[in-house]
Amino acid sequence: MDYSTNDSKSTSKNKVVAVVGGGLVGALNACYFAKRGFQVEVFESREDIREAKIVKGRSINLALSHRGRQALKQVGMEDTIVSKGIPMHSRMIHSLNGTQSPIPYGKKGQYILSVDRANLNKELLSAAETYSTTKLNFAHKLLNWSTETGAMTFLRADGAKEEIQADLIVGCDGAFSAIRKQFLRQSRFNFSQTYIPHGYLELTMPPINGEFAMKPNYLHIWPRNTFMMIALPNLDKTFTCTLFMPFDEFENVTTGDQVIEFFQKYFPDTIPLIGADALKRDYFRLPAQAMVSVKCSPYHLSDKCVLMGDAAHAVVPFYGQGMNAGFEDCLVFNEIMDQLNEDFSAVLPEYTRVRVPDDHAIADLAMYNYVEMRSHVNSKWFLFRKYVDNTLHMIMPRTVIPLYTMVTFTRIRYHEAVKRWHWQDKVRKGELILTRGTQRFSSCNQKRRCSSLSDKEMLIWWLAMMICRG
Ligand code: FAD
Ligand code: EGU
């Protein structure tokens, strides 16, 4: 079948966009392209998850924050998704002795949402389908595609193969992208993939007497250096607990009794809440899952194909940003489509130019946080660092913005957030304290007079520095 048009004067009305992958980013992208008036064909290897009973896949719930919400808003989906999300205003840090300490994410309106992955995916697929120009093709697994002709080969559920052509291919087929395989054969294509030594396992904490077993409006965290557990609330009053641990350690726990022993040592407060029997059983239900970080560039191949979401950048989940970044990809692409009048030959290179530095920055940040958390983050250190960050921000709201705040609650470009963070860190350590009258924020390259720190601010810096150096 050839859906493509060769008429260069053709408008979006008759151009066909093939979105490969009907996951979170693919389904959202379908909405974006349909809204612009393109004929959209989504190809997803799985069956329709809206009909399937069991959905296997990664993580049950996710933290949705500002970037993701802004992207949903643009296609009118924000309210639908937010209404089914559970606000998390603070983290709840669980110490080994059972003490719980809340640390707010920010001011009153600054919260993140725990959303159900399957529901989010279903809502986005249904939203895409409301456009008469969108067709969802399930049980279509991309096997290969030709960079010369643009023809894609799909394997259908009945075993038959199907050839399809489109004007634009949007690769949203996840961390192990089949679309990306053809990029690897191109000259000057950069690619790196790193598995971290940790795996993760999901456990369900049931309700107690029909109520949440822990306070619901929190992201619960048990920081234990090498080991870490996180719990996000679900609408059915359960919590999904995610245990992060090196694969070596997973191998050391092979019997039910060893599971209890392990939890007794590191997460004792959760045993009665998950239930010892359920714990012994659920721990072995699925093997620990691997986590991979993938970086590449460019994200496009001529005017024919572009990668978005995990296909372009899989990040380790230690910033809660993978989906948010993927959703922001769609938003940024859409902005560039506006700027460059939907001319793919201009839009695709511009998208790569603008987006690669930001996606690489969030991939690096997530990896950095993984290394930091596993090396020395116990509950005391976590509380201390967040306390210092938040206090500095409270005293000087415009001068010091914590990194997670820029990442989670703003659309400051990821790479700008990193620059700013490096600058703030220098100041915190006292290296820039004597630069009165020079630039306040050194990442602005153009020479301009920025205001200097006031005497009061300088004094506070010094005090903060003393606290940090303890
Ligand atoms: P995917 O969700 O992987 O979707 C890809 C789709 O493509 C799938 O439906 C797949 O079936 C389909 N597909 C694959 N191959 C083919 C093929 N050959 N042909 C056709 N279709 C194909 N992100 C956050 O923002 N917040 C969080 O709190 C968060 N927590 C996480 C926790 C864990 C443990 C993990 C592992 C990740 C977490 N993430 C989080 C990241 C998030 O899960 C991903 O970034 C997000 O799912 C990426 O969406 P995607 O659509 O690009 O890829
Ligand atoms: C991991 C797995 C706390 C969902 C990073 C914070 C995460 C999430 C943090 C998962 C942490 C870590 C941040 C958010 C979020 C924190 C964040 C991590 C959601 C720096 C479903 N992380 N996550 N940072 O600040 O910015 O609370 O599986 F433990 S949300 Cl690792 Cl904000």
Side-chain angles (χ1 to χ4, degrees), residues 197-200 226-227 243-247 249-250 253 262 283:
H198 276 58
Y200 73 92
T226 336
F227 315 118
L243 170 66
F244 296 93
M245 184 158 90
F247 275 103
E249 304 281 350
F250 273 114
V253 180
F262 173 78
Y283 187 94

Side-chain angles (χ1 to χ4, degrees), residues 59 61-63 91 105 112 202 219 221 228 230 232 242 244 317-320 369 373 382 386 404 407-408:
S59 73
N61 52 24
L62 306 132
R91 309 107 171 149
Y105 276 112
I112 55 177
E202 290 183 311
L219 191 156
I221 308 173
M228 179 173 76
I230 276 188
L232 273 68
T242 311
F244 296 93
F318 297 91
Y319 244 99
N369 205 41
M373 298 266 316
F382 193 98
K386 294 293 178 217
Y404 81 84
V407 166
T408 309

Side-chain angles (χ1 to χ4, degrees), residues 151-190:
M152 296 170 280
T153 311
F154 290 96
L155 178 65
R156 296 192 321 211
D158 59 12
K161 286 182 184 169
E162 200 174 325
E163 279 240 322
I164 286 158
Q165 289 233 339
D167 294 289
L168 178 69
I169 301 170
V170 187
C172 304
D173 50 348
F176 307 101
S177 172
I179 290 287
R180 199 177 58 214
K181 277 188 194 129
Q182 286 301 328
F183 283 62
L184 288 166
R185 304 160 57 104
Q186 304 294 313
S187 170
R188 301 189 61 207
F189 179 68
N190 301 295

